[in-house]
Amino acid sequence: MASSYGYPFEQQHCLSISQFSRPDIETLLSLGEHYLNLDVQKSPDNAVLTGKTLVNLFFENSTRTQKSFEIAGRRLGADVINMSVAQSSVKKGETLLDTAATLNAMNPDILVVRHSASGAPALLAQKLSGSVVNAGDGMHEHPTQALLDALTLRRHFGKDLGGIRIAICGDITHSRVARSDIQLLNILGCEVRLIGPPTLIPADADRWGVEVFHDMETGLDGCDAVMMLRLQLERMSGAFVPSKREYFHFYGLDRSKLAFAKPSAVVMHPGPMNRGVEISSDIADDPEVSLITAQVESGVAIRMGILHALSEAQDGIS
Ligand code: ASP
């Protein structure tokens, strides 16, 4: 049977941007757009997950991602179960594989997992019969964040992002968001720049299809969009920057640094923000330049799109 959106999406899981073809990505973005435009609260026609169970398994803290998967699952009619690790047997020493075997016996249709270890969702995907969605694994990937970022950019710049110059700034080394965004933005034809201190940009980053800069003035020149990243202190062993104050001085986005980009440039941040460290409040809260709230809205819509596509692929509807 053909899918309800007219494209043969055949992926069982959502683990990494690299697993998707460009048509897969265009399809997920179109589904995200569809759910953005729909009055999802009221429409009875979008309950494509009715009778399915979605388990949110978060081994790391999350506000936006966990809640948006919960809302997305519920809006599509799924039973949603939130397992927080603080209440699970992991705290009593259970291994990830034993947790997987236990979960599998409960037959979840979709498992959304966040873990501090890179590759944990891929490992679970091998052990579970349902679909696994990577909601962030260590420093590796955060594919649904990249998709929501692309959806947000398309809402602002239009469908064709080819040639849009976008700078990703700050702690690239420890950022799974950067790794997923770089791949996706390259697929969509954007010109991607990385800006940050040498200590926070991997030595081989120039092989990722990006241009690397170490100062905001040259890096932001001519940029259409500026994506700020948080210092991932929880993934750092030792000090990577002299002090937060000095970091803000050189790399924190304020009015004077934003002026290096195009006058029409917009600002993004995946959250959580550290105000006064990587971004000033007047930029973050300025609706004329900030797309940060739009990113959160896009997050629910794109996750509805992803769950929809995975669910139909599971049922052999593609
Ligand atoms: N929320 C994003 C993540 O989970 C970004 C961050 O934590 O800084 O990777």
Side-chain angles (χ1 to χ4, degrees):
M1 204 200 325
S3 71
S4 59
Y5 44 87
Y7 169 77
F9 184 88
E10 283 166 351
Q11 306 279 347
Q12 190 191 342
H13 307 290
C14 172
L15 300 173
S16 156
I17 291 299
S18 59
Q19 78 183 76
F20 295 121
S21 65
R22 173 128 193 198
D24 285 346
I25 286 166
E26 296 287 349
T27 299
L28 293 174
L29 292 174
S30 300
L31 276 169
E33 259 147 27
H34 164 76
Y35 281 116
L36 261 179
N37 295 333
L38 206 70
D39 186 353
V40 285
Q41 302 277 20
K42 292 183 198 134
S43 169
D45 299 332
N46 53 31
V48 292
L49 261 70
T50 301
K52 299 211 171 188
T53 305
L54 182 151
V55 175
N56 267 328
L57 180 63
F58 278 65
F59 292 89
E60 277 189 348
N61 293 341
S62 169
T63 310
R64 280 153 292 270
T65 308
Q66 202 240 315
K67 283 287 163 240
S68 67
F69 270 110
E70 184 176 347
I71 293 169
R74 287 191 202 284
R75 284 187 181 167
L76 292 174
D79 289 324
V80 180
I81 291 154
N82 292 312
M83 281 185 62
S84 100
V85 171
Q87 291 150 16
S88 76
S89 300
V90 175
K91 282 276 177 235
K92 299 181 188 165
E94 186 171 83
T95 65
L96 184 59
L97 290 180
D98 286 338
T99 305
T102 308
L103 284 171
N104 208 28
M106 297 176 194
N107 279 323
D109 297 284
I110 300 178
L111 178 74
V112 178
V113 62
R114 168 170 288 187
H115 200 283
S116 60
S118 300
L123 182 68
L124 288 172
Q126 289 169 21
K127 304 286 166 193
L128 261 79
S129 37
S131 297
V132 175
V133 180
N134 179 2
D137 61 332
M139 301 180 348
H140 176 228
E141 279 227 37
H142 196 346
T144 66
Q145 175 74 43
L147 285 159
L148 81 83
D149 287 339
L151 179 58
T152 308
L153 286 165
R154 275 171 51 145
R155 289 167 70 188
H156 186 80
F157 292 105
K159 269 202 161 88
D160 182 7
L161 296 179
I164 295 287
R165 184 180 287 177
I166 173 159
I168 306 179
C169 313
D171 182 1
I172 311 293
T173 295
H174 302 98
S175 174
R176 53 198 177 202
V177 172
R179 283 180 181 74
S180 289
D181 267 323
I182 291 166
Q183 293 179 67
L184 184 54
L185 295 171
N186 271 325
I187 292 171
L188 296 175
C190 300
E191 188 191 314
V192 185
R193 294 179 163 197
L194 304 182
I195 312 175
T199 47
L200 292 177
I201 300 193
D204 64 348
D206 52 0
R207 283 189 245 144
W208 298 354
V210 296
E211 257 193 290
V212 176
F213 296 84
H214 297 302
D215 75 280
M216 296 287 268
E217 182 163 3
T218 42
L220 289 180
D221 185 38
C223 281
D224 299 286
V226 187
M227 187 182 296
M228 300 310 298
L229 298 175
R230 182 176 68 87
L231 288 175
Q232 309 266 306
L233 296 175
E234 72 276 26
R235 295 186 219 290
M236 295 183 190
S237 48
F240 281 69
V241 292
S243 72
K244 287 183 183 166
R245 212 168 137 199
E246 190 171 326
Y247 181 80
F248 184 77
H249 177 71
F250 287 105
Y251 295 102
L253 191 67
D254 56 12
R255 292 275 165 204
S256 61
K257 294 195 196 74
L258 186 59
F260 299 136
K262 278 190 182 165
S264 56
V266 288
V267 175
M268 299 167 76
H269 193 304
M273 280 185 279
N274 282 327
R275 292 166 183 264
V277 180
E278 73 271 2
I279 191 164
S280 69
S281 282
D282 71 324
I283 297 282
D285 299 334
D286 179 353
E288 294 296 314
V289 297
S290 171
L291 298 184
I292 298 169
T293 308
Q295 284 175 276
V296 179
E297 273 170 24
S298 301
V300 174
I302 200 75
R303 285 168 180 134
M304 290 177 80
I306 293 165
L307 296 175
H308 181 151
L310 289 175
S311 170
E312 289 201 2
Q314 252 175 19
D315 297 341
I317 305 174
S318 66

